[in-house]
Amino acid sequence: MPAKAHRSARLGVTLFIGACLTAVAGCSSLDSASNRLASVVTPYRLDVVQGNFVSREQVEALAPGMSRQQVRDILGTPLVTSLFHAERWEYVFTIKRPGEDIQTRKLTVFFQGDLLQRFEGDPMPSETEFVATLGSRSTKGKVPVLEATDAQLARFPAPERAARTPAAVPAQPVTTTSYPPLEAPAR
């Protein structure tokens, strides 16, 4: 009896080791397939834009002696204002695109009291230049032609339209619709 149990145990261990080796071989082929799939499917990575974009035209519109409100009307609300530096506004703009370096532009506006004293910062692109850089990203796929050829249009003839006279068109009845009030009545 103990010999049979010993052979059964040995057979069980052999089957277990075989099953483990089969599972490991299956996992490696599964891993290979998942790597191939992962190389085909890539996640969408979006551009990260932070701050206020200030164009060259906006900077050229600034002039010493302008009030804070006039500067705010031209440049927008500053990104950074400090309690310790109330006479200085910081306009910072960053854009991070996948696979490219972070682009950062800074403009500092200095006031004396309520009037613009001076401004300094990085050279700013014009609005046209900035918009051109946004559309310059390369596309991975081929863009299809979105115009039908004459041969393609000939396959779908336009339906014939019967000439109608204004008297032949039945008049539509005018209906007025009453809508419920937007706010609940006062109690």
Side-chain angles (χ1 to χ4, degrees):
M1 201 65 168
K4 281 187 177 180
H6 185 64
R7 273 185 262 153
S8 295
R10 191 180 302 166
L11 180 62
V13 168
T14 305
L15 289 175
F16 178 74
I17 291 174
C20 288
L21 290 175
T22 303
V24 168
C27 287
S28 68
S29 67
L30 181 64
D31 187 41
S32 171
S34 66
N35 284 339
R36 284 193 307 263
L37 180 64
S39 67
V40 172
V41 177
T42 57
Y44 177 73
R45 304 213 188 269
L46 58 126
D47 298 344
V48 178
V49 179
Q50 294 178 322
N52 306 35
F53 171 71
V54 177
S55 68
R56 182 181 317 142
E57 293 87 359
Q58 289 172 304
V59 174
E60 290 171 354
L62 294 176
M66 292 179 130
S67 69
R68 288 179 187 254
Q69 185 59 43
Q70 289 173 321
V71 172
R72 182 176 277 127
D73 290 343
I74 292 172
L75 299 178
T77 305
L79 184 65
V80 179
T81 57
S82 173
L83 293 174
F84 301 109
H85 303 285
E87 305 296 314
R88 182 173 76 195
W89 287 355
E90 302 281 339
Y91 290 88
V92 182
F93 175 76
T94 59
I95 183 168
K96 171 69 174 116
R97 292 183 173 154
E100 295 180 16
D101 293 335
I102 295 177
Q103 298 176 17
T104 303
R105 293 186 181 89
K106 298 175 187 173
L107 177 71
T108 306
V109 180
F110 297 94
F111 293 94
Q112 188 170 21
D114 189 41
L115 299 177
L116 175 65
Q117 181 184 15
R118 64 186 171 90
F119 52 92
E120 58 188 41
D122 299 331
M124 302 295 174
S126 69
E127 289 182 20
T128 309
E129 293 169 348
F130 180 69
V131 170
T133 62
L134 294 178
S136 67
R137 298 181 68 185
S138 62
T139 57
K140 292 185 179 182
K142 182 181 175 186
V143 177
V145 177
L146 299 177
E147 189 173 307
T149 63
D150 291 332
Q152 291 171 329
L153 290 174
R155 294 190 305 185
F156 304 102
E160 295 295 324
R161 295 186 181 204
R164 289 187 169 182
T165 60
V169 177
Q172 297 290 330
V174 177
T175 59
T176 58
T177 306
S178 175
Y179 295 101
L182 294 175
E183 297 177 359
R187 295 185 186 183

